[in-house]
Amino acid sequence: MELWNHTSLSDFILLGLFSYSRNDLFLFSLVLLASAVALLGNSLFLLLIQANRHLHTPMYFFLSQLSVMDLIVMSSVVPKMAVNFLSGSKSISRGACATQIFLVVMVTGAECFLLAVMAYDRYAAVCHPLRYPVLMNWKACSLLTVASWMVGVSDSVIDVGVVFSFPYCGSLEVDHFFCEVPALLRLSCADTSLFEDLIYACCVVMLLLPLVVIVASYTQVLTAVIRMPSTEGKQKALTTCSFHLAVVGIYYGGAMFSYMQRASSRTPVGDRATSIFYTILTPMLNPLIYSLRNREITRALRKMLDRWGVQACLPF
C-alpha cells in the first residue's frame, strides 16, 4: 500500500519530450495528430471486426488483440505526457508511475508472443488448410491469446515489484516522457547492475524465442507458397503474410534496438527515440498496414458506411 500513498512519498518529475520552443510546439502537435490517428484507426478496426461476422476468424481475432494492445500502451503514455506539457506540471505520482510501467511492460511482452501466435496461425492456414479449423479452433485461439497476455502480466508484475523495491534518495527527475524501467533505475542510489543484467537476459529470451517461431513458421509458409500451382492462391497467401511480416519488422526493429542493449550503452536520448517508436508510431502504423489493400476490411468498411447512410468514396 505504501506505493500508492501519495502523501508519504515524493513524486517523480518527468522531464518530458518537448520544451516550449516553436519547433517543439509543432512536434507536439504532430505527436497529438499521430496519437489521434492511432486511436481512430485501432478503434475503427475493432469496430469493423466486431460488426462484421465475416471477420470473425482467428486471424482477425488476433489482430483485434493487437489493436487492444496498441490502444493500451498509447493511452497509458500519451494523455499524461500531453497533460504535463499543456499544464506545465511535470510531476507523476509513484502509483501512476508504477501503472505506466506495468501497462507498457505487459503490452510489449504480450505483443511479442502474440506475433509468434499469429505466425503459427498463418502457417496452419497455408500449410495445413484442411486441418486448420481443428488446429485453430476458438478454444486454441483463446488459450494462445490468454497465454500471451499472461506472459506479459508476469513480466510486468516482476518489473514493477523490483523497480520500486530500490531506494530513490537522490534526484527524482526522470529523463523521459513516461516512467520506463531503465530511466528509473538510473535514479536509484542502490546497485541495480544485477537486476539490469537480468532484464537484459530476460528481454533477449522473450524476443528471440518468438522470433524463432516466426522465422520457422514463415520459412514453411514460403516453401508451401512456392509449390502452389495457382497464381491467385500464391498472391492471396503472400499478401496476407506480407502484412504480418511488415508489423513484425516494425516491432522487432524497435524492440531489438531498445531492449537488446546493455545498460551501459543506453542513453536517455536513444531511449526517448525508441519509446516514441513503440508507444506512438507503431500503434498508428499497425491498423494502416493491415487495412492497406485488404479487400475484406474495405468490404466491411463499405458495408458499415452504407449502413450509416454515408456514401463510400473508397478508391479500392
Side-chain angles (χ1 to χ4, degrees):
M1 294 298 293
E2 185 183 7
L3 174 61
W4 304 95
N5 187 349
H6 300 171
T7 60
S8 63
L9 294 171
S10 301
D11 292 347
F12 288 109
I13 305 298
L14 295 174
L15 296 183
L17 191 61
F18 308 109
S19 63
Y20 292 92
S21 66
R22 183 174 299 178
N23 289 337
D24 279 356
L25 287 172
F26 174 71
L27 292 175
F28 175 73
S29 301
L30 289 181
V31 167
L32 286 188
L33 177 61
S35 301
V37 171
L39 177 63
L40 178 63
N42 284 288
S43 300
L44 180 60
F45 200 74
L46 287 171
L47 184 61
L48 287 174
I49 293 173
Q50 180 65 30
N52 195 300
R53 61 182 179 86
H54 296 293
L55 301 181
H56 294 176
T57 63
M59 184 180 79
Y60 287 103
F61 172 69
F62 295 135
L63 286 177
S64 70
Q65 295 298 304
L66 189 65
S67 287
V68 170
M69 291 176 181
D70 286 341
L71 288 172
I72 289 174
V73 74
M74 189 187 66
S75 61
S76 66
V77 171
V78 175
K80 181 61 178 175
M81 179 193 70
V83 167
N84 281 7
F85 179 81
L86 294 174
S87 67
S89 170
K90 297 184 177 183
S91 66
I92 181 170
S93 68
R94 297 205 178 194
C97 189
T99 301
Q100 282 192 336
I101 292 176
F102 178 84
L103 292 175
V104 171
V105 173
M106 176 187 69
V107 167
T108 51
E111 186 171 341
C112 204
F113 285 86
L114 182 68
L115 290 175
V117 170
M118 292 169 68
Y120 175 77
D121 172 67
R122 292 300 85 203
Y123 159 76
V126 174
C127 300
H128 302 284
L130 297 180
R131 297 177 57 202
Y132 180 70
V134 177
L135 292 173
M136 299 303 293
N137 57 55
W138 284 112
K139 182 178 180 181
C141 292
S142 300
L143 288 175
L144 289 170
T145 302
V146 169
S148 298
W149 280 104
M150 290 309 297
V151 170
V153 169
S154 301
D155 188 27
S156 61
V157 167
I158 294 171
D159 278 3
V160 170
V162 175
V163 166
F164 284 92
S165 70
F166 290 121
Y168 296 91
C169 46
S171 172
L172 296 179
E173 293 186 346
V174 182
D175 195 358
H176 214 304
F177 60 94
F178 72 99
C179 287
E180 193 178 38
V181 173
L184 284 182
L185 292 181
R186 294 190 190 104
L187 304 181
S188 177
C189 48
D191 182 10
T192 62
S193 57
L194 177 60
F195 181 56
E196 289 172 351
D197 289 340
L198 289 175
I199 289 179
Y200 175 77
C202 182
C203 288
V204 169
V205 171
M206 290 184 66
L207 285 171
L208 293 187
L209 278 181
L211 185 60
V212 169
V213 175
I214 293 169
V215 171
S217 297
Y218 277 106
T219 300
Q220 295 295 319
V221 167
L222 291 176
T223 302
V225 168
I226 291 172
R227 295 174 180 172
M228 284 182 179
S230 169
T231 304
E232 183 180 353
K234 285 183 180 180
Q235 184 176 5
K236 183 178 180 180
L238 287 174
T239 300
T240 303
C241 294
S242 64
F243 296 148
H244 182 226
L245 285 174
V247 172
V248 168
I250 291 174
Y251 175 83
Y252 270 91
M256 287 187 168
F257 185 82
S258 178
Y259 296 110
M260 294 185 68
Q261 292 188 77
R262 291 283 185 178
S264 57
S265 62
R266 301 175 69 108
T267 63
V269 174
D271 286 349
R272 288 196 298 270
T274 53
S275 296
I276 292 173
F277 191 80
Y278 70 77
T279 60
I280 298 171
L281 294 183
T282 298
M284 180 187 72
L285 292 174
N286 281 347
L288 297 178
I289 291 172
Y290 277 113
S291 302
L292 185 66
R293 298 183 64 184
N294 187 325
R295 294 179 181 179
E296 292 175 323
I297 292 296
T298 54
R299 278 198 295 265
L301 182 58
R302 282 180 181 276
K303 186 179 293 187
M304 178 177 288
L305 292 175
D306 290 341
R307 191 182 305 163
W308 291 348
V310 179
Q311 292 296 323
C313 300
L314 301 175
F316 36 81

